[in-house]
Amino acid sequence: MNYPNYKSSVYREVSITTSSQTQLIVMLYDGAIRFLRRGIEAIEKNDIEAKAAASDRALAIVQHLHLSLDMDRGQEISANLERLYSFVITQITEGSSGLQPRKLEEAIKVLDTLRSAWAEVAQQERAESVPTELLAQQAANGRLAVHG
């Protein structure tokens, strides 16, 4: 077992299981952007296999975000996100197949803008929630009743 990779994997798993839905969306954007940057680097190095793998991962994330839209509840916002995700999917597909880093960079710009908005929402949620340090302190003092 490669210990540093194991620690990274455990950290990532704990981050995911303890994050809010909004924080998870931010993580998805982070992943898509990271993979698109890897795709650009791979195109520049003429590493077609790495480009394909990175682009496929980014595309899968954006498709997941696209398919998870709630068109009934989100209405106008969901419709706008659907158009943006469709644009990003097209940019990734064309950029990857045509070895055009500029199209992947355009996808990154859109995703980065959306990520910033979601990160702001996540930050507001954290500011309004009970601090984990307070919960830990109450639990240590025996004053925290969980489920009754």
Side-chain angles (χ1 to χ4, degrees), residues 74-89:
Q75 297 175 353
E76 187 178 343
I77 292 172
S78 291
N80 289 334
L81 285 171
E82 182 177 40
R83 282 190 291 280
L84 289 169
Y85 291 149
S86 293
F87 172 79
V88 169
I89 288 167

Side-chain angles (χ1 to χ4, degrees), residues 44-76:
E44 291 168 350
K45 293 178 182 176
N46 202 26
D47 186 345
I48 303 306
E49 265 187 55
K51 180 272 309 174
S55 297
D56 288 351
R57 299 278 303 267
L59 190 59
I61 291 169
V62 177
Q63 287 172 332
H64 173 76
L65 289 165
H66 187 218
L67 293 172
S68 66
L69 290 173
D70 185 342
M71 300 306 285
D72 294 330
R73 288 187 8 191
Q75 297 175 353
E76 187 178 343

Side-chain angles (χ1 to χ4, degrees), residues 29 54 102 111 137-138 143 146:
Y29 283 118
R102 183 183 54 76
L111 293 173
Q137 183 182 25
Q138 288 180 349
R143 294 190 307 225
V146 180

Side-chain angles (χ1 to χ4, degrees), residues 80-128:
N80 289 334
L81 285 171
E82 182 177 40
R83 282 190 291 280
L84 289 169
Y85 291 149
S86 293
F87 172 79
V88 169
I89 288 167
T90 299
Q91 295 304 104
I92 294 170
T93 303
E94 291 177 2
S96 179
S97 64
L99 302 176
Q100 300 174 21
R102 183 183 54 76
K103 292 199 179 249
L104 299 182
E105 289 167 1
E106 289 176 20
I108 289 172
K109 286 179 188 174
V110 172
L111 293 173
D112 194 44
T113 300
L114 292 171
R115 184 221 175 272
S116 295
W118 281 101
E120 191 173 312
V121 171
Q123 185 176 7
Q124 289 172 353
E125 285 178 354
R126 280 192 303 272
E128 295 169 0

